[in-house]
Amino acid sequence: MSFRLFSLFATLLAHTLFAQDTPGLAVTFTAAGKTDSRVDRLLSLYVPAGQAPTPFLTAGSFNAKWEGDIQSPLRGTFKLGVETSGKFKLSLNGQPLLDGAGLKTVQLNKGPNHLVAEITSAEKGDTFVRLNWASKDFPLEPVPPTILTHATRPELTAAAQLREGRLLFAQLNCAACHADIALLPAKGTGMPEFGQNAPLLAELGTKYKTAFLADWIADPHAIRPHTLMPKVFTGTDAGQKAADLAAMLTQGVAPAAEKPLEPKLAVAGGGLFANLGCIACHQRPDATGADAHDRIPLAHLRDKWQASALVEFLKDPAKAYPATRMPHFRLSDDEANQLATYLLTNGMLIKRKAIPGDVARGGALLVSAGCLNCHAGMPATTQPALAKITKAGAKGCLGGDDASRGTAPNFALNSDQRSALKTFLATDFASLKQDTPAEFAERQIKNLNCVACHARDGNVSIWTMVDGEAKKLRDALPVKEHIEGEPVADAPIPPLTWLGEKLQHDWMSKFIAGKIEYKPRTWLIGRMPGFPVHLAGDMALGLNHQHGLPQKEADEPAPTAEKITAGEKLLGADGGFNCITCHAVGDQAAPAVFEAPAINFVQTVERVRKGYFHRWVMAPIRIDPDTKMPKYADPEGMTQLTDPFDGKGAQQFDAIREYLRTVK
Ligand code: HEC
Ligand code: HEC
Ligand code: HEC
Ligand code: HEC
Ligand code: HEC
């Protein structure tokens, strides 16, 4: 066979073999004789001593095995290195390469290089591992998630199904009606999504219109696909029951006297809808029908909300619903008014059949239909209890059609979700009593839709995908001359990919919760909304763990006088790198801030981890190919400034960082 034919054959083989590659590496954990698998984005891990590596295993010593491919962009010589506290081994393309911590040189093929790695947890203390690579073109960095893939296997599918079932069981609040004190954790302990109450059903008459409410109760999924609220009634009197409940829920309280809307605010509201990223999670209020990005519809708002109540909701979405997934944007009164006007003046008016309802019958249904089990945490009285439904099969709430469902609520589950729930019901529920931060973070990124706004692992955000739609709303804004230094709509926002490695846990927790008062990127119109009620601390910790990092690194010794002096000089224009043309330092503004605006270094000190600080400054384009931050070091780490530290970038940048630590 000629070489060309051979290589063609090899390529074909590679394509047939790897056609099913999916992102991430397969990891199999073993602890106390039980195994569990999942897919991780990176070859890294952090399991604090005494904690379980996954929710389905017990705490204590464990073993983890990764399998998959490094998809190398080039054929060539690389270095692979590992930092770990456990007993770690790695082989590549069938050859043993690493045994314990260290750095090895290796030839990578272009395309897939099969990887198998294994760790036994540390005998004492926390277990961690981080896999890095380097080449002659770039310094040591974590092996990025964009080049790690694996082939799916039945046990991975089964483990994913189990996790899906566990999440559905918690979020859909099955235990609100089918309880068992012996099997389930107490409310507020264990898996965070378990036992969260549905919205408070108080004073709805001040907020919503009665006819809409009846339609919502009759069929919530018709109004909001994927809502967690089930359709509770079936049969010919379902509409009447919903109307009775709507009458009961809105009785006695009238809406506040409404000021008429000022339609001229709508255009500004539309601009905010685009520029704040509402458009990444929601369809426009004038859009109907299926959405390519599965965003949450808002066309019904005009039919549902009293105007002043909508303004109040936008300012504090969690007020009546602590578990809400709608984030907190810290809107000003003007912004909330403009947004509400845009939403209400562009919505649809749907003709709803207003069936007169009976308040007394509604009051009785509120208890007997199980509404208050979810909405007020009323103890479950429904039969059968949990232990029995685990054996029921495809009946009741797990029925696939009205006949098999009978009088049970309809959660609009698809067949995958029903199988997932059945798989989970067959377990002993012990996984609800504990959780793993790395998995919690991954679930929340999906549940709270962080990727609506943030690019991640090479995938662009939904916000970017719907930019054409956003542009129309922006273009409708009155033309205004751009004043230098004013925030802009089209500056990039940081991808989520490396944030777990980049940011200090404490800062990241507060930032995700919406508790950092300043805005790091003052040049953006967009802002990070707050998620104050979603255990931002655990989410941030999970992101750190995904990158093999602890909550907090050991305290650093105080900077030395020599480094402080050198650092201050290196930062400046006179004999230094002149970092301060772009980066402000505290009150000292940066002159070139409008061309390549950067973050104030005083904030950087409390935000950024030491390891990432160095990685970024050594090779910024490795992290962000479009960044305007210059590169100061060559691949060997040498800079243009031979003095101080003989031109060694690592030491020079360290001095800069040490100096910055002293700036208040
Ligand atoms: C609002 C209360 C409520 C909630 C929440 C609820 N169920 Fe039910 N469930 C019922 C009622 C009522 C029945 C019907 C009982 C009957 O037929 O007597 C039922 C029946 C069932 C049955 C059939 C039991 C049998 O032996 O026939 C299964 C299985 C079931 N539910 C599973 C679930 C799962 C899984 C969830 C969460 C996704 C869930 N349920 C949430 C009220 C509820
Ligand atoms: C990260 C996704 C996300 C973003 C961004 C977002 N929302 Fe929401 N929003 C939700 C979700 C999810 C709900 C559904 C309620 C729930 O789950 O609690 C919701 C609910 C709403 C509702 C109530 C809908 C109803 O049927 O009554 C309104 C109004 C709303 N959002 C407006 C906005 C506006 C205005 C913005 C921008 C300032 C915005 N949202 C940004 C996720 C988001
Ligand atoms: C399995 C739990 C569950 C049951 C049972 C349930 N709900 Fe809900 N309900 C929810 C959740 C969760 C939401 C929030 C919507 C969302 O997350 O998409 C909700 C939303 C609502 C809302 C809108 C509230 C708001 O301010 O946005 C009303 C009204 C409501 N439910 C009434 C009822 C009534 C009446 C019943 C009984 C017939 C009932 N619910 C039964 C879980 C439930
Ligand atoms: C509505 C859009 C939007 C959503 C949804 C969103 N973010 Fe952000 N996020 C931003 C913007 C804009 C910034 C930049 C803010 C700044 O620097 O002023 C940001 C910044 C961040 C930062 C700081 C990064 C840095 O380097 O400064 C973190 C951490 C973060 N987001 C995490 C999350 C997580 C986790 C979620 C989901 C729970 C999420 N974001 C959802 C818009 C969003
Ligand atoms: C030409 C402008 C420019 C110069 C000069 C510059 N930077 Fe930057 N720097 C940037 C930009 C742009 C970013 C990324 C901002 C973002 O994340 O949105 C950045 C980010 C950083 C970050 C991450 C900060 C954080 O809080 O997220 C560090 C650390 C940093 N630069 C260090 C330096 C050092 C040290 C120097 C001098 C050796 C320097 N920079 C010179 C533009 C510059």
Side-chain angles (χ1 to χ4, degrees):
M1 184 163 33
S2 79
F3 177 74
R4 276 187 64 178
L5 255 181
F6 175 77
S7 72
L8 181 70
F9 177 72
T11 321
L12 279 176
L13 188 73
H15 278 274
T16 41
L17 273 182
F18 297 101
Q20 295 179 346
D21 276 340
T22 31
L25 294 177
V27 207
T28 305
F29 295 90
T30 312
K34 272 181 74 181
T35 66
D36 181 30
S37 318
R38 68 171 189 233
V39 174
D40 277 359
R41 304 164 52 226
L42 294 151
L43 199 161
S44 53
L45 181 79
Y46 199 99
V47 182
Q51 292 187 18
T54 88
F56 295 95
L57 296 174
T58 49
S61 61
F62 68 91
N63 176 285
K65 184 176 181 186
W66 291 264
E67 277 172 279
D69 292 297
I70 296 183
Q71 302 280 353
S72 175
L74 298 167
R75 179 185 163 81
T77 309
F78 292 80
K79 287 198 176 94
L80 271 188
V82 73
E83 301 164 90
T84 184
S85 65
K87 258 171 57 194
F88 181 85
K89 267 190 195 165
L90 178 142
S91 73
L92 205 65
N93 295 327
Q95 300 296 318
L97 184 69
L98 291 164
D99 191 350
L103 194 65
K104 288 275 173 67
T105 300
V106 65
Q107 290 293 317
L108 292 184
N109 303 324
K110 184 173 163 45
N113 293 269
H114 195 63
L115 165 156
V116 179
E118 214 163 331
I119 191 170
T120 307
S121 55
E123 268 161 36
K124 257 184 34 211
D126 303 348
T127 301
F128 67 85
V129 60
R130 299 186 287 272
L131 184 70
N132 302 313
W133 73 335
S135 83
K136 65 175 183 9
D137 302 319
F138 61 87
L140 207 63
E141 64 179 23
V143 178
T146 41
I147 62 162
L148 296 175
T149 62
H150 70 282
T152 54
R153 298 196 301 250
E155 67 270 27
L156 287 172
T157 317
Q161 199 187 41
L162 193 59
R163 281 167 172 74
E164 166 89 355
R166 175 176 180 256
L167 183 60
L168 286 169
F169 184 86
Q171 285 194 317
L172 296 177
N173 228 337
C174 308
C177 296
H178 305 288
D180 191 324
I181 295 169
L183 285 174
L184 297 171
K187 256 192 169 185
T189 69
M191 184 188 190
E193 295 95 326
F194 178 78
Q196 289 180 332
N197 277 358
L200 204 70
L201 296 181
E203 312 214 314
L204 295 190
T206 60
K207 299 207 268 185
Y208 306 139
K209 302 181 180 169
T210 311
F212 170 87
L213 211 52
D215 279 2
W216 167 266
I217 296 166
D219 191 359
H221 297 101
I223 291 164
R224 186 186 302 158
H226 315 301
T227 176
L228 304 174
M229 157 107 175
K231 175 179 173 177
V232 176
F233 303 115
T234 45
T236 46
D237 57 352
Q240 182 61 52
K241 285 179 173 163
D244 293 344
L245 274 159
M248 187 270 154
L249 288 168
T250 51
Q251 59 133 358
V253 272
E258 292 286 350
K259 277 190 303 194
L261 293 172
E262 291 179 63
K264 64 177 195 303
L265 297 181
V267 172
L272 288 170
F273 194 79
N275 289 338
L276 295 181
C278 315
I279 199 163
C281 286
H282 292 290
Q283 284 182 275
R284 295 188 325 273
D286 54 332
T288 48
D291 178 50
H293 305 287
D294 206 13
R295 290 170 295 175
I296 297 165
L298 296 178
H300 59 274
L301 293 183
R302 193 172 163 183
D303 236 18
K304 172 178 178 179
W305 284 88
Q306 307 292 353
S308 54
L310 181 56
V311 173
E312 289 311 307
F313 168 82
L314 292 174
K315 286 200 291 189
D316 185 6
K319 196 168 171 203
Y321 184 20
T324 184
R325 291 179 276 187
M326 162 77 185
H328 193 305
F329 279 86
R330 289 182 282 183
L331 300 172
S332 67
D333 290 340
D334 281 349
E335 288 173 331
N337 270 319
Q338 290 163 358
L339 278 165
T341 309
Y342 165 69
L343 294 170
L344 293 175
T345 52
N346 286 282
M348 311 272 158
L349 264 186
I350 299 149
K351 241 186 126 44
R352 300 192 185 268
K353 256 195 305 187
I355 308 173
D358 182 304
V359 172
R361 275 200 314 250
L365 282 169
L366 199 61
V367 179
S368 65
C371 315
L372 294 183
N373 295 48
C374 286
H375 281 276
M378 217 178 79
T381 48
T382 315
Q383 290 304 325
L386 186 62
K388 272 181 85 184
I389 68 162
T390 60
K391 298 181 191 77
K395 281 200 308 195
C397 306
L398 289 180
D401 51 39
D402 285 349
S404 56
R405 217 176 288 118
T407 57
N410 180 355
F411 289 89
L413 301 166
N414 63 31
S415 65
D416 287 346
Q417 292 171 321
R418 288 197 301 272
S419 318
L421 274 162
K422 269 179 229 155
T423 308
F424 179 70
L425 288 175
T427 70
D428 62 2
F429 300 99
S431 67
L432 292 174
K433 294 186 175 153
Q434 62 178 5
D435 205 23
T436 308
E439 292 198 21
F440 177 64
E442 206 54 31
R443 295 198 302 273
Q444 289 296 68
I445 284 169
K446 206 167 152 212
N447 180 40
L448 301 176
N449 211 358
C450 310
V451 293
C453 296
H454 288 279
R456 189 177 193 225
D457 295 354
N459 298 312
V460 301
S461 69
I462 298 175
W463 205 355
T464 301
M465 290 192 259
V466 299
D467 193 55
E469 222 180 288
K471 188 170 178 299
K472 286 195 194 125
L473 292 171
R474 270 183 225 128
D475 288 349
L477 292 168
V479 185
K480 219 176 79 189
E481 206 170 321
H482 180 73
I483 302 170
E484 214 173 47
E486 269 189 353
V488 295
D490 54 358
I493 71 166
L496 207 52
T497 311
W498 297 113
L499 297 185
E501 179 208 357
K502 175 180 188 180
L503 296 169
Q504 308 265 14
H505 174 265
D506 287 0
W507 190 87
M508 184 161 43
S509 308
K510 286 195 202 126
F511 192 68
I512 297 175
K515 304 241 155 66
I516 297 280
E517 296 300 328
Y518 60 80
K519 183 169 161 173
R521 294 171 186 79
T522 46
W523 59 88
L524 284 178
I525 292 185
R527 67 184 77 140
M528 164 75 181
F531 296 84
V533 288
H534 290 95
L535 300 173
D538 289 359
M539 223 192 299
L541 182 61
L543 284 171
N544 292 146
H545 283 181
Q546 288 187 355
H547 293 263
L549 292 168
Q551 176 158 345
K552 198 172 179 316
E553 266 126 328
D555 285 339
E556 294 180 56
T560 63
E562 184 211 5
K563 282 211 175 154
I564 295 170
T565 316
E568 184 169 13
K569 186 166 179 209
L570 284 164
L571 204 65
D574 185 12
F577 297 111
N578 206 4
C579 313
I580 52 174
T581 39
C582 301
H583 289 276
V585 185
D587 302 334
Q588 184 194 323
V593 77
F594 306 139
E595 284 136 56
I599 289 163
N600 191 317
F601 272 146
V602 169
Q603 297 167 12
T604 298
V605 173
E606 60 167 358
R607 287 157 42 80
V608 176
R609 285 182 177 248
K610 185 177 178 181
Y612 182 94
F613 181 99
H614 279 281
R615 173 153 104 82
W616 168 265
V617 183
M618 278 292 186
I621 49 162
R622 288 296 299 173
I623 295 176
D624 177 2
D626 300 322
T627 188
K628 297 211 176 90
M629 160 112 171
K631 187 177 170 192
Y632 293 96
D634 65 19
E636 271 79 55
M638 303 303 284
T639 69
Q640 301 264 309
L641 294 179
T642 47
D643 182 57
F645 309 119
D646 302 325
K648 291 193 179 107
Q651 288 179 38
Q652 294 175 338
F653 302 140
D654 193 47
I656 291 180
R657 188 173 164 276
E658 295 287 72
Y659 165 67
L660 292 175
R661 285 174 61 207
T662 66
V663 180
K664 285 280 158 311

